[in-house]
Amino acid sequence: MVVENTIYDLIIVGSGAAGLTAALESGNKSVLIITKTSSFSSGSSPLAQGGIAASVGSDDSASLHYNDTIKAGVYSGRSDQISFLTKMGVPAIENLLKINMAFDKTGSGQLDRNREGAHSRRRVLKAGGDSTGRILVKTLYEEALKRKNISWKHSVFVCDLIIENNSVQGITVYSDNDGFITIRSKRVLLATGGLGQLFGHTTNPVEATGDSMAIALRANLKLKEIEMVQFHPTALNVKSGDSLMLLTEALRGDGALLVRGDGTPFMGKYSPLKELAPRDVVSRAIWNEMKLGHEIFIDLKPIDDLGNKFPTVSSFCLRVGLNPNRELIPITPAVHYVMGGVDINRELPSGLGVAGEASYTGVHGANRLASNSLLECLVYGKSEVERVLSEDHELVDIDPKYPDLSRILDLVDIDLYRSKLQGIMYNNCGIIRNESSLLEGETQLIELKKMIINSPIYSGNNLTYRHVVKWLELNNMVSLGLSLIGSAIYRKESRGAHYREDYPNTSIRWDRIKIEGDSV
Ligand SMILES: Cc1cc2nc3c(=O)[nH]c(=O)nc-3n(C[C@H](O)[C@H](O)[C@H](O)COP(=O)(O)OP(=O)(O)OC[C@H]3O[C@@H](n4cnc5c(N)ncnc54)[C@H](O)[C@@H]3O)c2cc1C
């Protein structure tokens, strides 16, 4: 066993918005930030376009934000956590302003506030137009670089938590430089983001493989509501790398139409709100049309001055050879966000925290309110780090186990099985689910697991970091996929992002909150 010499007060896994926020809130404690990627600008955070929701306006309040969040989550969020999130929104923005986050301002110097779907007030703060995530991560990262208490490691894949006597003892990692090693600390904060890569179509980056959730499963910790997977209705259906480009909802707000290949609009068949129906309704409509054999497109030609209003979208379309001013743009619904994760409402081992998309706080319920996830990263990045730093216990002797690489497959086969898994999840546990599709998906995943075990083992002697990481990710994705399907089978109702055609209504069993005057 190789053990790194330094013992840190805290290890933070992930350098997205949640991990970087946590690091900045760690006072003078010695902190190590780890990312499996070669750059610290990684994860979904830099890709965020819309913004950060917070009730900063004089016409707004935490309680209005609370009500909107609960309704969007179809009354199944946790009232205690939603109350905390929405109350901490304004202080979180003030903290960012203190480190010079360049939010967009109005002509009179006020914070410019956008209104997004299901928000009753203009409360979405943005930066650089549609570059909020990139500017947020840059601001947090540059501030963290100034702090002497923070150390950094990139190209280090965190494999597992080491837990003894219900207390954190460190982590096992696979590092590009040193192979498998153990890093000791009494405290670990998991902030590894979402699991979009489990599905064939996703807006999430290649590193979003749900590693913390798989780590939690192996550590016998509880995941909650990971069946709640939000699809974005309009991702550009042209693969460029491992994920799909998001085509913002604002395009439809500005007149873009959803059409079949012959240019016929179809949304009127599904909702009187047509293109402006809620995200889950539009996603299901597109999914239905695709099942009927239609290819689906977005027609951006009705938008005046598209290039100036939506420069990112226009230039990306042109880059992949599509002229949005002249032709229809192919789209598909794509997995965008997971509302569930490692349950932080249960007692966790001493010294363990979880923040950001990897966690289940309970703030999103069955549907995340737009722009609440970056806020969640900021609020819980802070509160989780404060909690774990207040916990203490002894470091004891350990005998860590590393993943077995003796059965590693050829990289080509790993990639093949990864894409098979993504197809199984997208087709059987996608936008519209039912008992038989879910059971079929479960059977196919179990078969896939057997195929992986029985495949020829890699016979070369040149294992690269990328090869090992892909293998470890595949193992994580298979176990997490099975867990996700199991949760989707268990929830016999339809609510928000989880739509079961065999149980099309909500069930009171899963209601958590009622707001006076609202009907559930
Ligand atoms: C295209 C897109 C647009 C979005 N727009 C918005 C928006 O406008 N507003 C909003 O609120 N939300 C938005 N979201 C959602 C939001 O961006 C994410 O939920 C949020 O950024 C997640 O942050 P995080 O810190 O939890 O994780 P991430 O930002 O995903 O970071 C995860 C980190 O963990 C590291 N990591 C993962 N596994 C390991 C491992 N095993 N070992 C070591 N390191 C590991 C990764 O390399 C990365 O550094 C958007 C998401 C996408 C994909």
Side-chain angles (χ1 to χ4, degrees):
M1 165 178 83
V2 181
V3 182
E4 180 170 314
N5 288 333
T6 313
I7 298 178
Y8 299 91
D9 291 326
L10 169 69
I11 297 170
I12 296 175
V13 190
S15 59
L20 290 171
T21 301
L24 291 178
E25 297 292 343
S26 58
N28 57 4
K29 301 289 182 191
S30 64
V31 173
L32 172 65
I33 298 185
I34 297 179
T35 179
K36 65 181 174 181
T37 47
S38 58
S39 156
F40 289 105
S41 178
S42 54
S44 294
S45 299
L47 305 179
Q49 297 177 357
I52 309 172
S55 56
V56 294
S58 56
D59 60 342
D60 202 359
S61 67
S63 71
L64 288 172
H65 190 183
Y66 170 95
N67 282 355
D68 292 346
T69 302
I70 280 175
K71 285 183 201 168
V74 200
Y75 304 91
S76 67
R78 286 184 59 114
S79 57
D80 54 347
Q81 298 290 13
I82 298 173
S83 174
F84 179 66
L85 176 84
T86 50
K87 281 187 184 138
M88 298 313 286
V90 174
I93 298 301
E94 285 167 354
N95 278 347
L96 286 179
L97 289 170
K98 279 186 204 145
I99 58 168
N100 301 320
M101 168 79 187
F103 283 116
D104 293 347
K105 302 255 175 76
T106 62
S108 60
Q110 304 294 308
L111 289 172
D112 196 7
R113 294 176 284 135
N114 258 2
R115 184 161 174 187
E116 290 188 337
H119 285 276
S120 61
R121 293 289 184 278
R122 299 180 80 85
R123 65 165 74 96
V124 177
L125 308 181
K126 58 199 174 57
D130 58 4
S131 305
T132 310
R134 187 177 56 75
I135 294 175
L136 172 67
V137 169
K138 186 167 178 285
T139 307
L140 295 170
Y141 178 57
E142 285 176 357
E143 185 63 26
L145 281 180
K146 295 180 200 158
R147 309 283 174 97
K148 297 277 178 288
N149 65 313
I150 301 177
S151 309
W152 304 81
K153 280 185 195 289
H154 64 79
S155 308
V156 172
F157 182 94
V158 175
C159 307
D160 275 306
L161 288 166
I162 306 170
I163 296 174
E164 287 292 338
N165 308 330
N166 203 30
S167 59
V168 169
Q169 301 290 322
I171 51 174
T172 55
V173 306
Y174 185 83
S175 130
D176 195 10
N177 292 331
D178 306 311
F180 284 119
I181 57 168
T182 293
I183 309 178
R184 304 239 30 199
S185 174
K186 293 178 186 176
R187 301 169 198 91
V188 172
L189 184 99
L190 298 172
T192 61
L195 51 65
Q197 283 290 323
L198 262 71
F199 292 82
H201 297 284
T202 181
T203 60
N204 288 191
V206 65
E207 55 269 24
T209 49
D211 295 342
S212 284
M213 298 177 218
I215 289 171
L217 283 175
R218 284 193 292 275
N220 290 323
L221 304 175
K222 292 282 179 233
L223 303 185
K224 197 162 174 70
E225 299 191 1
I226 55 167
E227 73 279 13
M228 287 297 177
V229 176
Q230 189 175 62
F231 280 73
H232 196 286
T234 55
L236 181 65
N237 198 3
V238 175
K239 207 131 197 184
S240 110
D242 297 275
S243 48
L244 300 176
M245 166 84 178
L246 186 78
L247 298 180
T248 166
E249 262 146 355
L251 292 162
R252 279 175 281 132
D254 226 317
L257 293 173
L258 298 174
V259 295
R260 299 184 187 130
D262 61 1
T264 324
F266 57 85
M267 274 309 298
K269 198 173 125 189
Y270 297 95
S271 165
L273 293 173
K274 298 185 178 169
E275 272 70 11
L276 301 182
R279 236 177 224 190
D280 55 325
V281 176
V282 180
S283 293
R284 281 198 292 279
I286 296 173
W287 180 265
N288 251 324
E289 290 290 311
M290 287 175 149
K291 288 277 166 209
L292 293 172
H294 299 293
E295 268 189 272
I296 301 302
F297 298 83
I298 190 163
D299 186 355
L300 301 178
K301 297 194 290 302
I303 301 179
D304 292 331
D305 203 14
L306 180 78
N308 277 329
K309 281 189 192 153
F310 298 99
T312 313
V313 169
S314 304
S315 62
F316 194 86
C317 288
L318 290 170
R319 220 179 313 146
V320 296
L322 295 164
N323 185 337
N325 293 311
R326 287 208 212 113
E327 57 195 314
L328 300 177
I329 305 298
I331 52 148
T332 178
V335 166
H336 189 51
Y337 186 80
V338 60
M339 273 71 76
V342 185
D343 188 359
I344 66 159
N345 297 289
R346 289 173 181 259
E347 200 176 323
L348 294 171
S350 171
L352 179 64
V354 193
E357 198 171 334
S359 67
Y360 166 83
T361 56
V363 298
H364 304 300
N367 236 338
R368 169 180 70 110
L369 181 66
S371 292
N372 262 357
S373 47
L374 286 178
L375 179 64
E376 184 190 34
C377 291
L378 302 174
V379 169
Y380 289 87
K382 181 175 188 316
S383 65
E384 279 294 278
V385 90
E386 286 170 353
R387 183 178 63 73
V388 294
L389 286 174
S390 72
E391 295 175 352
D392 202 8
H393 52 263
E394 294 300 308
L395 284 182
V396 298
D397 287 345
I398 51 168
D399 179 20
K401 304 274 176 295
Y402 298 115
D404 180 11
L405 288 189
S406 67
R407 287 220 44 85
I408 192 168
L409 307 188
D410 197 279
L411 190 51
V412 175
D413 292 332
I414 294 172
D415 284 343
L416 178 78
Y417 289 127
R418 180 173 170 134
S419 75
K420 275 187 193 295
L421 174 137
Q422 292 169 329
I424 294 170
M425 294 300 292
Y426 191 75
N427 293 323
N428 297 287
C429 193
I431 297 170
I432 297 180
R433 306 161 173 182
N434 61 50
E435 189 93 0
S436 72
S437 75
L438 291 167
L439 289 172
E440 174 61 25
E442 190 176 47
T443 307
Q444 288 184 20
L445 271 193
I446 292 167
E447 266 317 298
L448 185 81
K449 204 172 164 180
K450 285 189 199 144
M451 281 158 73
I452 293 171
I453 291 169
N454 294 322
S455 281
I457 297 167
Y458 173 67
S459 56
N461 52 9
N462 187 24
L463 272 184
T464 61
Y465 173 72
R466 181 165 172 271
H467 189 159
V468 174
V469 166
K470 286 270 182 182
W471 170 244
L472 298 173
E473 285 178 346
L474 178 66
N475 285 289
N476 282 347
M477 291 162 84
V478 172
S479 61
L480 190 54
L482 281 166
S483 175
L484 197 157
I485 291 187
S487 304
I489 292 171
Y490 179 70
R491 187 183 276 262
K492 296 194 184 335
E493 68 155 357
S494 290
R495 186 183 292 266
H498 174 72
Y499 186 80
R500 292 270 309 244
E501 57 189 355
D502 45 351
Y503 296 95
N505 302 313
T506 50
S507 155
I508 50 167
R509 176 167 172 205
W510 275 278
D511 285 341
R512 284 214 183 83
I513 308 168
K514 178 130 176 58
I515 300 180
E516 280 310 305
D518 277 345
S519 59
V520 172

